[in-house]
Amino acid sequence: MMYNLLKGKRGIIFGALDENSIAWKTAERVHEEGGVFVLTNAPAAMRLGNISDLALKTGAQVIPADATSVTDLEKLIEQAMDILGGKIDFVLHSIGMSVNVRKGNHYTNQNYDFTQKGWNVSAVSFHKVLQVLYKKDAMNEWGSIVALSYMAAQRVFPDYNDMADNKAFLESVARSFGYFFGRDKKVRVNTISQSPTATKAGQGVKGFNGFIAFADKMAPLGNASALDCANYTVSMFSDLTKMVTLQNLLHDGGFSNVGVSQEVMEMFE
């Protein structure tokens, strides 16, 4: 059901790779709710997906940008405001990558060059996005900035590897920078800790299929889908949540508050 929750609002969506990605689903839902936006991803990532199809479907323009490059981000935000006709109301940061995971390096045997690259892409890029938006005074008052996280930032999931550290850093940036953005600009900054989701990035984690099945049996509502997360993100972009900031919002069907479920116990009895 559509309510035009975002009518007249302008934004930037980072990370829409393909139709399975949360950023892709979010772009579709934002479009349905009346919002307008530009899409962006790193040039290398864009070659792996089909972002042009999403742009055509939603009437959005695509601006290639490396989110780890302050220069690229400055150009992106200037172009976005020019294309959209004013300051920004919402931003989605949906970027994550671990070279150690891709290369099969165990957490106890990291290649630290890979570690730094993944940390830069997955977490430091969020600080850079926030800093450029802040310095350029590019956000409208009561705007909303959301980054996607995962519960491995707080609890041990062995095969999530160094992405757990990246997500912990990401959440800390949201709180720390969110304080200044809220105080000085009346802009809210939050992270959403989503259920394990069958995206291209998620499926790169060792044992992902077993893990997503386990989470589904643990959560009383089951796993939240990419579309569910898109809907939640739309609510965070809307004026209905204008006083929510500095939060890591758990969107996981209740998984985070369950010690053990009956369904999981039955597997061991």
Side-chain angles (χ1 to χ4, degrees):
M1 186 177 293
M2 291 179 285
Y3 300 96
N4 286 322
L5 287 175
L6 303 180
K7 187 175 182 180
K9 293 189 180 294
R10 303 178 285 251
I12 302 173
I13 295 178
F14 288 81
L17 183 63
D18 58 34
E19 56 274 8
N20 296 316
S21 74
I22 293 170
W24 185 292
K25 301 292 187 187
T26 301
E28 291 178 329
R29 288 294 294 117
V30 168
H31 175 65
E32 290 169 356
E33 294 293 344
V36 295
F37 49 86
V38 297
L39 297 164
T40 185
N41 213 329
M46 288 173 61
R47 289 193 291 271
L48 298 174
N50 46 355
I51 195 172
S52 59
D53 293 342
L54 178 62
L56 184 63
K57 180 177 182 179
T58 59
Q61 291 195 39
V62 180
I63 304 175
D66 178 355
T68 67
S69 165
V70 171
T71 300
D72 276 17
L73 290 171
E74 289 173 341
K75 292 177 181 176
L76 165 68
I77 290 164
E78 289 168 1
Q79 290 178 38
M81 288 192 290
D82 184 55
I83 290 167
L84 299 172
K87 289 187 179 183
I88 305 303
D89 297 294
F90 60 86
V91 175
L92 175 64
H93 179 283
S94 180
I95 305 171
M97 182 274 293
S98 167
V99 186
N100 280 308
V101 169
R102 288 183 181 177
K103 299 293 186 180
N105 293 339
H106 193 267
Y107 186 78
T108 60
N109 186 36
Q110 293 187 36
N111 176 313
Y112 290 116
D113 289 335
F114 293 168
T115 304
Q116 290 181 20
K117 184 173 182 179
W119 172 71
N120 196 22
V121 170
S122 305
V124 181
S125 67
F126 188 46
H127 193 287
K128 292 176 180 178
V129 169
L130 292 169
Q131 183 165 292
V132 173
L133 288 166
Y134 181 89
K135 285 187 173 182
K136 288 189 172 296
D137 194 26
M139 296 291 297
N140 279 318
E141 284 195 352
W142 305 109
S144 176
I145 303 169
V146 171
L148 298 183
S149 189
Y150 181 58
M151 194 201 294
Q154 288 86 33
R155 298 186 186 180
V156 177
F157 293 86
D159 291 326
Y160 204 62
N161 210 304
D162 57 339
M163 276 303 301
D165 302 332
N166 296 339
K167 293 300 188 184
F169 188 96
L170 179 85
E171 292 177 13
S172 181
V173 167
R175 288 186 294 269
S176 298
F177 215 125
Y179 168 78
F180 296 105
F181 238 136
R183 185 194 67 180
D184 300 338
K185 311 285 189 179
K186 291 294 182 289
V187 171
R188 56 202 195 269
V189 182
N190 296 284
T191 54
I192 294 176
S193 188
Q194 165 70 359
S195 297
T197 310
T199 63
K200 193 175 186 69
Q203 290 172 331
V205 176
K206 180 182 175 183
F208 179 79
N209 289 336
F211 177 61
I212 197 170
F214 170 77
D216 198 50
K217 286 185 179 296
M218 280 284 286
L221 296 180
N223 289 330
S225 69
L227 179 58
D228 292 326
C229 190
N231 286 327
Y232 192 36
T233 305
V234 164
S235 76
M236 293 306 301
F237 288 164
S238 79
D239 292 336
L240 298 177
T241 53
K242 66 184 294 185
M243 298 303 290
V244 180
T245 196
L246 312 186
Q247 303 301 311
N248 179 50
L249 301 159
L250 297 158
H251 186 254
D252 58 9
F255 176 93
S256 49
N257 274 332
V258 175
V260 65
S261 69
Q262 182 176 343
E263 289 81 1
V264 170
M265 284 296 293
E266 287 172 354
M267 296 169 64
F268 294 93
E269 290 178 342

